[in-house]
Amino acid sequence: MEPLIEVQGLHFRYDSGPEVLRGVNFRLFPGESVALLGPNGSGKTTFVLHLNGLLRGEGLVRVCGLPTRPEHLPSIRRKVGILFQDPDEQLFMPTVLEDAAFGPLNLGLDPPRALHAAQEALALTGMSAAWHKAPYHLSAGEKRRAALAGVLAMRPEILVLDEPTTYLDPPGRRELADLLRRLPQAKLVVTHDATFACATTTRAVFFREGRIESEGPTAELIRRLGWDERLPPAEPAP
Amino acid sequence: MHIPDGFLTVPVWAGLAAVSVPLVGVAARRAQGEAEENRIPLLGVMGAFVFGAQMVNFPLAPGTSGHLFGGALLACTLGPASAVVVMTAVLAIQALVFQDGGVLALGANVFNMALVGVVAGYLPYWLWGQGAGRDLAVATGGFLSVMASATLALTELRLSGVVIPPAALWLALGVFALNAVAEGLITLLVVRSLDRLHPGWIRRADAPRSAAVKTVLGASVALAVIGLAVASAAPDGLDRLAEELGISDRSRILWETPLSDYQARFLPPGWLQQAAAGLAGISLAGACVAAVAKLLSRRRSA
Amino acid sequence: MRHLVLEDWSRKESWLHARDPRAKLMAAVALLLAIGTSPAGSPSRLAGYALLLLAGVIIADLPVRGVWLRACVVLPFAGVFGVLAWLAGEPGRAAAVGVKSYLSAWTLVLLAATTPLPALLRGLASFGVPRFLLIVIQLLYRYLFVIAEQAHHMRLAAASRGGGFRLRSRQGWRAGAGAVATLFARSHARAEAIHRAMLARGYRGEFPLASPPRFGLGDALLSLWASAAAAALRLA
């Protein structure tokens, strides 16, 4: 089977800084959900930004068979939807509906069809009722779902989510996990949240110092590396 | 100083709007065409930054505090064209959302603060912003930016027939000068902090290379100052100008304004001279400071 | 925050709220022109404008007292020049300036309280204001609250460490400048992140700005009626 995303020997550094990515090899197949785990600063976000050509390093990055060269970027950005960590930075339009329509309009849809695509995406994420609201008036969970609607409105084949549980309370996380499980796209989830990773993905890769150190089924890899938030319970005061 | 609606006469606000609109249009086109492609979000967020920065208080005198206005800082970081666009956006939001400054008076406020404020803030930096004189140029820019905006606002109010007794005028100029000095210092301190954080944010001053261009620029500034002084020494000339432009007399029948018929009676004859002398003095002081800075930097680099 | 009240008002539903932003802009400008050019010595005419505005506030289902209070933002400015004119021996004219600038501010509050800013910007776009400038204003407004909140948190953090930015010393100025520089850096980083998010959704330099809906009969009526009333009062 053809991989949706194929990365081979990817190296990258910012300006003249140290190497952030030091030879990453990665494949994502249709229908797969993969967790991207690893310590802060191990290069996860930098890696993700290569998947739709926002950053370009040395090595091979192919999305649906297309290398991330400038001439392919419009179609690659249609195929790969990225949900960024801070929804405030993703919701830059005055209202939720206008924001969800931003992508479809950029794809060249005429305004009525773009609005229709936006409304469909909002319905999918349960945000239809808030279509007229300004992003500033949304709760953290609503912001996350509105931002996701903006990504889904472009009908991507691959969803990349960078720390999607940041700012969310436990019910908000559960809602998001439910929503992600309903979506048919192949998914790549960058997260520190072991429970969330287990609930939404089947395979996991572990980043350390700019390369993939180990991989395996999500639950097993987390157990093997001890990469979860289990702590001894607090002692009651004497 | 944001002028609300109701203070300026129609010829004053309409005339300034007629000047501001095309100039802002030119600035917008230049800013849009500038190399970095992330201009649109950058300018929007920087406008929001101006609001945030204005919430930070700096102690001026016991009981009072000032804050950054931002024209000079934006000019040194984003470049003058983008700074004009950002300041115009800030003023538009202040008028439309906060009722801070009028809508009819927006052209005048844009002229004072977004156009003259930014250009006056950038000029010293543009001319002497390279080398050792940079810090002085940055501070002088902040000073000139606020001083020019405030003096212009006062002048426009006067032209519209608003009564300002000489004592109050001098007091106002004193307060403006204090704020202007603060703006110079704050701008300089912020620029120095930015130097440490990310030197690339401070735009390289792409000063005109040739001494001839500098001389012409310096001479034209001097001429403008002298011209203002001469014009104010002969108030008849200004009056005639006002008449010809339709600011007074004929227009007054149609566009009567508060206090306008009392202008003559309560306008101390020496007012314009005093104001112009003050303006000229300030400008000359600024020019001297800048010239000394230039000399110093030349000596050090030699 | 002060402006959030106005934003809530602007999202209400009334006949005035439902009108096209262009109609409301025209009506407001007509009123501002009439108020601004009225001679000082005609209290009845000024009262006429006030009644017109009051009618607008009632039609828009806005709290009358709240609108009055908001329009008071001009009083400090008007007050200073009023006192100066009064000192110069013209209390009547001083009062007239104050009333006129207050009525103008009232007009602006009514405009802003019945028209959300994005709609206002769409209206301005169809009056020929450069799109680039309007998009910058739109983004400014979007991030105004976000960055003001950031500045507010920084102020709280400084205050909780005992100093605040109101220190009398040289350190106070240094700390303040440092705070402004930090805010600048964060804003810069935010702008870059927004740009990335825009690119990721196919942005290629064309920023969509929705166009206003069709200008209807009610809209035409509003602009005509308001302009006629303002002109009648002015020329009466």
Side-chain angles (χ1 to χ4, degrees):
Chain A
M1 193 164 42
E2 271 290 290
L4 286 173
I5 292 179
E6 188 179 8
V7 179
Q8 272 175 32
L10 181 63
H11 290 258
F12 179 78
R13 64 175 83 228
Y14 288 99
D15 295 328
S16 52
E19 226 173 26
V20 186
L21 297 180
R22 307 189 300 150
V24 179
N25 299 304
F26 175 78
R27 283 169 164 210
L28 181 76
F29 290 94
E32 250 195 327
S33 288
V34 177
L36 221 67
L37 309 172
N40 289 329
S42 56
K44 303 186 299 284
T45 298
T46 306
F47 171 67
V48 157
L49 293 177
H50 281 80
L51 300 181
N52 67 355
L54 287 172
L55 293 177
R56 289 184 63 209
E58 278 169 52
L60 176 84
V61 179
R62 265 213 291 242
V63 177
C64 302
L66 298 172
T68 53
R69 281 204 298 265
E71 65 267 29
H72 298 314
L73 287 185
S75 55
I76 285 176
R77 286 178 181 162
R78 218 183 74 79
K79 290 179 165 56
V80 182
I82 300 191
L83 186 72
F84 291 91
Q85 189 172 354
D86 185 348
D88 264 328
E89 285 160 2
Q90 193 149 14
L91 297 167
F92 42 77
M93 296 297 278
T95 62
V96 169
L97 180 65
E98 282 170 88
D99 199 88
F102 181 85
L105 283 172
N106 281 328
L107 294 181
L109 265 59
D110 56 55
R113 282 173 60 208
L115 283 180
H116 184 70
Q119 276 156 343
E120 268 183 8
L122 289 172
L124 212 56
T125 60
M127 288 297 290
S128 294
W131 66 272
H132 62 283
K133 283 197 183 172
Y136 187 74
H137 294 286
L138 302 178
S139 71
E142 289 174 319
K143 274 184 196 171
R144 183 68 68 189
R145 283 186 285 144
L148 185 56
V151 174
L152 290 176
M154 298 183 69
R155 309 221 170 97
E157 291 173 34
I158 304 151
L159 272 180
V160 178
L161 306 109
D162 192 359
E163 299 285 2
T165 55
T166 319
Y167 311 119
L168 294 187
D169 53 11
R173 284 182 214 195
R174 206 157 41 228
E175 252 169 53
L176 185 67
D178 281 343
L179 175 58
L180 289 184
R181 278 198 293 221
R182 283 203 307 274
L183 296 173
Q185 285 91 347
K187 289 181 267 303
L188 189 59
V189 184
V190 179
T191 186
H192 281 316
D193 186 332
T195 323
F196 189 80
C198 289
T200 53
T201 63
T202 50
R203 183 161 73 93
V205 297
F206 192 86
F207 261 69
R208 196 188 289 280
E209 290 169 7
R211 55 167 70 106
I212 292 175
E213 193 187 58
S214 48
E215 60 177 295
T218 309
E220 190 197 307
L221 185 74
I222 286 173
R223 201 169 33 221
R224 179 148 52 94
L225 298 171
W227 194 252
D228 56 13
E229 47 278 279
R230 253 179 309 160
L231 293 167
E235 299 279 335
Chain B
M1 189 161 71
H2 296 68
I3 305 175
D5 281 330
F7 279 87
L8 297 181
T9 44
V10 175
V12 172
W13 68 252
L16 288 169
V19 175
S20 298
V21 167
L23 288 180
V24 169
V26 169
R29 219 166 305 135
R30 270 201 66 174
Q32 198 172 8
E34 261 164 21
E36 301 110 288
E37 52 165 3
N38 64 347
R39 277 280 129 166
I40 281 199
L42 182 63
L43 298 196
V45 176
M46 279 302 152
F49 155 78
V50 170
F51 278 90
Q54 293 189 347
M55 290 165 67
V56 178
N57 292 315
F58 291 81
L60 279 186
T64 58
S65 62
H67 62 73
L68 182 76
F69 290 86
L73 178 66
L74 290 182
C76 299
T77 49
L78 303 177
S82 297
V84 167
V85 173
V86 173
M87 289 308 281
T88 304
V90 167
L91 292 169
I93 290 281
Q94 282 170 336
L96 292 173
V97 180
F98 298 93
Q99 290 81 45
D100 199 359
V103 161
L104 296 183
L106 189 58
N109 286 326
V110 164
F111 181 78
N112 300 344
M113 285 179 275
L115 287 164
V116 174
V118 165
V119 170
Y122 190 62
L123 199 63
Y125 185 71
W126 188 49
L127 291 176
W128 300 292
Q130 290 153 317
R134 189 204 68 160
D135 281 6
L136 206 49
V138 167
T140 311
F143 176 86
L144 281 181
S145 164
V146 166
M147 206 63 212
S149 306
T151 317
L152 267 174
L154 266 191
T155 310
E156 287 151 17
L157 287 169
R158 282 302 314 183
L159 275 175
S160 299
V162 173
V163 178
I164 308 171
L169 184 82
W170 286 112
L171 184 69
L173 283 175
V175 171
F176 294 153
L178 189 66
N179 271 294
V181 169
E183 176 80 359
L185 281 176
I186 299 171
T187 307
L188 176 60
L189 286 174
V190 173
V191 164
R192 279 192 183 162
S193 305
L194 288 178
D195 268 341
R196 281 194 295 274
L197 284 171
H198 192 305
W201 284 335
I202 310 300
R203 204 180 150 88
R204 265 185 61 82
D206 47 353
R209 284 287 162 80
S210 74
V213 177
K214 281 189 182 180
T215 315
V216 169
L217 268 168
S220 56
V221 170
L223 271 177
V225 171
I226 293 167
L228 201 67
V230 170
S232 57
D236 295 352
L238 252 185
D239 278 356
R240 207 174 309 126
L241 189 70
E243 237 165 77
E244 269 167 30
L245 291 175
I247 296 176
S248 54
D249 275 346
R250 197 162 40 84
S251 58
R252 203 172 287 158
I253 303 159
L254 244 177
W255 308 112
E256 196 182 349
T257 43
L259 311 163
S260 56
D261 359 11
Y262 286 75
Q263 183 169 350
R265 209 193 302 167
F266 289 102
L267 181 67
W271 182 85
L272 273 172
Q273 283 100 308
Q274 288 171 12
L279 195 66
I282 288 156
S283 313
L284 278 176
C288 287
V289 164
V292 169
K294 176 72 188 158
L295 271 178
L296 279 176
S297 68
R298 209 179 254 168
R299 195 167 300 163
R300 245 182 258 173
S301 60
Chain C
M1 277 189 221
R2 186 159 68 102
H3 48 268
L4 285 179
V5 179
L6 198 71
E7 225 200 58
D8 286 345
W9 287 349
S10 75
R11 310 240 174 233
K12 282 186 158 206
E13 283 170 20
S14 78
W15 184 80
L16 210 52
H17 282 84
R19 299 283 59 81
D20 189 287
R22 289 167 288 187
K24 282 181 271 189
L25 272 168
M26 282 191 265
V29 168
L31 211 52
L32 286 175
L33 280 174
I35 294 170
T37 59
S38 291
S42 56
S44 54
R45 182 179 285 144
L46 294 181
Y49 297 131
L51 280 176
L52 204 58
L53 286 166
L54 186 63
V57 173
I58 290 168
I59 292 170
D61 192 25
L62 295 170
V64 177
R65 228 173 73 95
V67 173
W68 280 347
L69 284 177
R70 261 204 79 103
C72 286
V73 290
V74 293
L75 289 187
F77 190 97
V80 168
F81 288 97
V83 167
L84 291 181
W86 182 67
L87 285 178
E90 282 300 313
R93 296 204 164 238
V97 184
V99 171
K100 280 167 63 172
S101 63
Y102 181 74
L103 288 175
S104 303
W106 194 359
T107 313
L108 292 186
V109 174
L110 187 56
L111 176 67
T114 54
T115 326
L117 188 85
L120 212 53
L121 296 180
R122 286 198 285 275
L124 289 171
S126 46
F127 286 136
V129 178
R131 279 172 49 89
F132 182 74
L133 179 62
L134 292 175
I135 291 165
V136 169
I137 295 176
Q138 183 174 304
L139 281 164
L140 192 174
Y141 188 65
R142 167 66 185 90
Y143 288 101
L144 178 61
F145 311 99
V146 178
I147 288 180
E149 207 165 88
Q150 227 167 18
H152 183 65
H153 284 310
M154 283 165 59
R155 208 153 62 162
L156 283 184
S160 65
R161 275 178 312 210
F165 296 127
R166 282 175 172 277
L167 288 180
R168 241 165 271 125
S169 58
R170 198 185 267 187
Q171 281 96 33
W173 279 67
R174 286 258 166 76
V180 172
T182 308
L183 205 59
F184 186 99
R186 288 188 185 168
S187 306
H188 228 280
R190 189 178 288 279
E192 259 166 49
I194 294 164
H195 187 235
R196 271 205 300 270
M198 287 164 66
L199 287 177
R201 286 200 278 157
Y203 175 70
R204 275 180 274 174
E206 269 301 309
F207 203 95
L209 191 73
S211 50
R214 219 164 54 85
F215 199 82
L217 182 65
D219 307 320
L221 276 178
L222 170 68
S223 45
L224 274 178
W225 184 76
S227 315
L233 277 168
R234 171 66 187 87
L235 300 172

